[in-house]
Amino acid sequence: MSPTDILIFYVVPVVVGVPLGLFVPSLVGSGVTGGLSNGGLASFVAAIFVFWLRLKMRDEWVMPERIVKNTNELFANLVYSVLVALCGACVASFVPPVWWGRVLVAVIGTHCALVFMMCLKRFDLIFRELCTR
């Protein structure tokens, strides 16, 4: 991981999540749990699609190595996104509604949103490469 990735995916969630957790009292509850669960579901569906795409690339299509590499990285990122979203939903369900619980949920939720946005960026990169081929 590059220093920029570490900054974006670990420092930004802490910088955003701590003030959110301290000043927004409604961060623990069914709405946050449902949002993280739906994000995990969307990532899971996308991971199934990318898994199918990887199988097609391997068995039927001849693709340049960079497209295959980007698709493999996208699949790994989607699986990670599913895990983060489901862990975040579990934490949001069981954490007590105290300040540190809200901060934890906000940090995990922000990290999950950033990972999902990175997955969307990789989707765009792969399909742009596939369409210009």
Side-chain angles (χ1 to χ4, degrees):
M1 285 182 81
S2 70
T4 306
D5 289 342
I6 292 171
L7 178 74
I8 289 173
F9 294 112
Y10 298 108
V11 175
V12 170
V14 171
V15 169
V16 171
V18 170
L20 270 176
L22 291 176
F23 299 115
V24 180
S26 62
L27 274 180
V28 176
S30 61
V32 175
T33 304
L36 286 168
S37 298
N38 288 336
L41 177 65
S43 296
F44 183 72
V45 169
I48 291 171
F49 172 72
V50 172
F51 181 74
W52 171 82
L53 183 66
R54 288 173 64 210
L55 289 178
K56 286 285 193 183
M57 283 182 177
R58 187 188 69 196
D59 295 339
E60 298 176 16
W61 303 334
V62 177
M63 290 288 156
E65 187 61 34
R66 73 179 189 286
I67 294 177
V68 174
K69 178 182 171 279
N70 287 334
T71 306
N72 290 336
E73 288 178 0
L74 173 62
F75 183 70
N77 292 339
L78 284 168
V79 170
Y80 178 70
S81 176
V82 170
L83 292 175
V84 169
L86 293 180
C87 290
C90 290
V91 167
S93 296
F94 297 116
V95 75
V98 294
W99 70 270
W100 61 267
R102 293 190 311 262
V103 167
L104 185 63
V105 169
V107 167
I108 293 173
T110 306
H111 179 68
C112 184
L114 290 172
V115 169
F116 192 69
M117 284 190 286
M118 189 225 3
C119 292
L120 292 176
K121 183 183 88 171
R122 287 190 191 258
F123 260 123
D124 181 53
L125 172 73
I126 289 169
F127 283 106
R128 198 175 311 154
E129 287 178 353
L130 287 173
C131 290
T132 58
R133 216 177 149 251

